[in-house]
Amino acid sequence: LVYACCGAVALRILSAGAIVLCPSVRASPIRLSGFPAKYLRTFSTRTTNNNAQTQPTTNAAVQTDYLSIPPLPDSEKPEPLTLHIISAYQKSDRFDFPEEGAVLSEYLQAIEGISRQFLTQLLKFGSVWYARIPPHPNAKLDQETRELVLQIREEKFKYMTPNQISSTSFKPERLDESHIDMMVEKGSLLRIHCYPIRFPRCYQVQWKSRVIANEEHYLVLDKPDGVPVSYTVDNRLENCLRCTAQAIGREEDLYITHRLDQPTSGVLIMGKTKEFVAFFNKLLSNRAKCLEKRYRVLTKRPLPLGNHEAYIYPVEHIGRNPQRYEISAMQVPNSKYCDLKVISSSQITLGSKPDGKGWDNWVEGEKAFESTVILGTGRTHQIRAMAKFLGSPVFGDTLQDANNPEVVHDRIALQAYELRINTNIDDENETFFLGSKDCSNAMEKFFGGKKEVVFRAKEPWWRQPSCDSEAKNAA
């Protein structure tokens, strides 16, 4: 894509009056001899976790059943396909782009064979993004493509005043069903995630039974594994914010206050009011005094007791898998300080092996160790990376296994089992306030003036009689 969050980009020009940029993994841009190029073959990049192949596009390959709600049990997961379309200026036999713009549904039907029904589903999932002006081209694009995008931007800027340019957002916005017949301007950007990542686990969860506290300003959930907390770039339907809101009869989605990894379960606080979200953000900024997060971690060997300090840094990102992190005892480039404390470790007996691949080291009846960890800093994947660094990876966490990057579980043996909120703020923290209300009033409003509030999750899944009991009950 022409903005920074994408990797390598393959460019193709359709004879339908559109330039299509397809993000790929480790793919070199297709070199074009000139622009416009009406007689080039139509190309798209289809990616898997480990490689990318540039192939001729087949419009008939669209798998409409993939977007069924809930997902069909026998639905095959198609290879990722994301289209980045910049509506071009030249005319063609396939589509004559009007000066006043084109209707979105008609345009995509003409140039990509995307039916109105399939587009409606994509819009419902939030899988279509739009920007009136393409963002500034990414430095990873080849020179020819950069010049092309800059040419389009310059052409659009000709008709805008300096004030309009400074006030225009170039960030793509997510479209919904109400936009199906919107007008697509010349030179605008469309990003279409044809096959959004699905989270079928959210249809197996008994959401109401997982609510720990349901108050006026917030809700506390025992988050299920396998479901993201918030929206993903291509799926705004299947997440905790929306599913929990639907379960309690709330029309609007809940607000995010903090995150847990998709395969992690446990205590998650979500806001009902923006006022509470702002207040909780203040608590997070004073984490050392106001919050204490405790986790249960299941490993093959015990984690060493005591404080552990290190530096965490990102490593190579493979395919659509989440970002992987490594730990170093010394500070290295792009690393951040992290710390945690292991306060206990007890031996347990493993139950039945979870379903799926990647659980080879889980042997029913063998011994394992459940450790209690207090999180200091809250770095992404911190506990998972530090457990591996300390000599015993979290059960099920194949993401941290560089030798097995393809198997990424929807469930790992990591639970955020307890969250303590310290509401006894001393005078030193009286600058800690919410809007025009001082801190003590906010504490009284949200927590009834209690000195300490503690939320706990239920028993972790690995202590249940069956590791997949909830999913089987729902089925």
Side-chain angles (χ1 to χ4, degrees):
L1 182 58
V2 290
Y3 58 107
C5 63
C6 285
V9 176
L11 178 143
R12 61 189 174 98
I13 297 180
L14 297 179
S15 62
I19 305 164
V20 179
L21 298 151
C22 300
S24 62
V25 181
R26 301 176 183 172
S28 299
I30 301 172
R31 298 296 301 182
L32 301 176
S33 58
F35 172 76
K38 295 178 64 174
Y39 302 106
L40 291 178
R41 292 181 66 191
T42 296
F43 286 95
S44 69
T45 300
R46 295 178 178 272
T47 64
T48 62
N49 281 342
N50 292 325
N51 56 60
Q53 297 179 345
T54 304
Q55 308 169 351
T57 295
T58 11
N59 295 336
V62 174
Q63 301 179 25
T64 56
D65 287 348
Y66 179 72
L67 297 184
S68 298
I69 301 176
L72 299 177
D74 56 350
S75 290
E76 292 187 8
K77 184 178 180 180
E79 294 180 347
L81 175 60
T82 304
L83 304 178
H84 297 88
I85 303 172
I86 299 178
S87 55
Y89 295 87
Q90 77 272 25
K91 296 183 179 181
S92 74
D93 296 335
R94 287 179 60 192
F95 190 83
D96 187 358
F97 201 99
E99 286 295 327
E100 67 275 12
V103 176
L104 176 63
S105 56
E106 297 174 358
Y107 184 48
L108 294 181
Q109 173 70 53
I111 69 170
E112 283 294 326
I114 296 177
S115 70
R116 186 181 180 89
Q117 178 185 3
F118 189 63
L119 177 59
T120 300
Q121 285 295 90
L122 289 173
L123 291 169
K124 186 173 184 178
F125 272 85
S127 304
V128 182
W129 295 74
Y130 177 75
R132 291 181 57 206
I133 300 176
H136 194 277
N138 190 308
K140 294 181 179 180
L141 291 175
D142 64 281
Q143 184 62 29
E144 187 175 13
T145 306
R146 287 175 57 84
E147 291 177 358
L148 175 62
V149 175
L150 290 173
Q151 175 187 342
I152 293 173
R153 285 167 57 88
E154 181 181 357
E155 183 70 21
K156 298 207 74 166
F157 288 154
K158 285 181 182 179
Y159 305 100
M160 299 175 67
T161 66
N163 288 338
Q164 288 175 325
I165 294 174
S166 63
S167 63
T168 299
S169 172
F170 303 113
K171 184 178 179 180
E173 298 180 1
R174 195 192 298 261
L175 303 183
D176 58 32
E177 299 102 307
S178 67
H179 295 98
I180 191 166
D181 290 321
M182 67 173 280
M183 299 301 290
V184 177
E185 296 182 18
K186 278 187 176 182
S188 58
L189 170 70
L190 280 166
R191 185 174 84 230
I192 306 166
H193 299 268
C194 295
Y195 302 119
I197 297 176
R198 301 297 305 274
F199 303 99
R201 178 82 169 97
C202 71
Y203 302 100
Q204 303 167 350
V205 173
Q206 300 173 18
W207 290 94
K208 277 189 176 182
S209 67
R210 285 186 165 269
V211 175
I212 299 172
N214 187 3
E215 304 296 336
E216 179 183 356
H217 294 276
Y218 64 90
L219 182 145
V220 185
L221 180 73
D222 187 354
K223 177 192 173 298
D225 48 71
V227 182
V229 171
S230 186
Y231 315 144
T232 61
V233 69
D234 55 5
N235 188 336
R236 66 178 178 188
L237 293 184
E238 298 166 343
N239 56 77
C240 292
L241 300 180
R242 174 156 296 194
C243 292
T244 309
Q246 291 175 341
I248 64 172
R250 177 183 167 98
E251 293 185 1
E252 297 179 334
D253 293 349
L254 294 165
Y255 297 115
I256 188 170
T257 61
H258 64 115
R259 295 179 184 273
L260 294 175
D261 293 343
Q262 177 198 331
T264 302
S265 58
V267 177
L268 174 69
I269 297 182
M270 295 175 283
K272 288 186 175 181
T273 62
K274 292 182 179 180
E275 186 182 19
F276 177 81
V277 173
F279 171 73
F280 197 85
N281 286 337
K282 290 288 187 179
L283 290 177
L284 290 174
S285 66
N286 290 266
R287 174 193 304 271
K289 293 183 177 181
C290 301
L291 293 177
E292 182 180 276
K293 295 182 179 181
R294 298 193 176 198
Y295 287 76
R296 290 187 177 114
V297 189
L298 187 66
T299 56
K300 196 171 186 65
R301 292 176 292 278
L303 296 179
L305 299 179
N307 294 311
H308 300 282
E309 300 177 333
Y311 294 88
I312 188 169
Y313 60 94
V315 294
E316 185 179 14
H317 197 180
I318 300 177
R320 299 179 88 181
N321 291 342
Q323 177 71 60
R324 194 165 62 86
Y325 291 82
E326 292 285 357
I327 296 291
S328 171
M330 306 294 292
Q331 188 169 10
V332 297
N334 300 319
S335 65
K336 294 181 179 180
Y337 172 80
C338 60
D339 71 284
L340 56 75
K341 183 178 182 180
V342 181
I343 61 174
S344 68
S345 184
S346 57
Q347 194 176 72
I348 70 168
T349 301
L350 294 176
S352 59
K353 180 185 293 188
D355 293 338
K357 300 178 181 179
W359 296 95
D360 297 338
N361 61 343
W362 182 294
V363 180
E364 184 175 355
E366 284 196 356
K367 301 299 182 183
F369 292 85
E370 182 182 283
S371 301
T372 300
V373 172
I374 297 179
L375 192 60
T377 52
R379 307 299 184 193
T380 303
H381 298 338
Q382 178 182 330
I383 295 177
R384 301 162 66 174
M386 291 191 77
K388 178 189 175 186
F389 177 74
L390 294 172
S392 192
V394 178
F395 268 110
D397 189 13
T398 54
L399 177 64
Q400 297 302 130
D401 183 0
N403 298 318
N404 194 17
E406 292 188 22
V407 180
V408 178
H409 289 148
D410 290 331
R411 163 185 286 176
I412 60 176
L414 176 62
Q415 182 197 43
Y417 90 91
E418 184 178 279
L419 176 63
R420 293 174 179 263
I421 301 177
N422 176 22
T423 63
N424 189 20
I425 305 297
D426 55 27
D427 293 338
E428 180 184 349
N429 274 338
E430 278 303 312
T431 56
F432 175 76
F433 64 91
L434 177 66
S436 60
K437 301 178 178 65
D438 61 27
C439 180
S440 59
N441 286 345
M443 296 295 188
E444 179 70 31
K445 180 174 184 177
F446 297 130
F447 301 116
K450 296 178 182 177
K451 298 298 182 182
E452 185 178 56
V453 182
V454 181
F455 300 110
R456 293 188 180 91
K458 297 179 181 179
E459 292 287 283
W461 62 263
W462 58 85
R463 290 191 194 172
Q464 304 295 330
S466 169
C467 290
D468 300 286
S469 57
E470 185 177 37
K472 292 174 181 177
N473 291 336

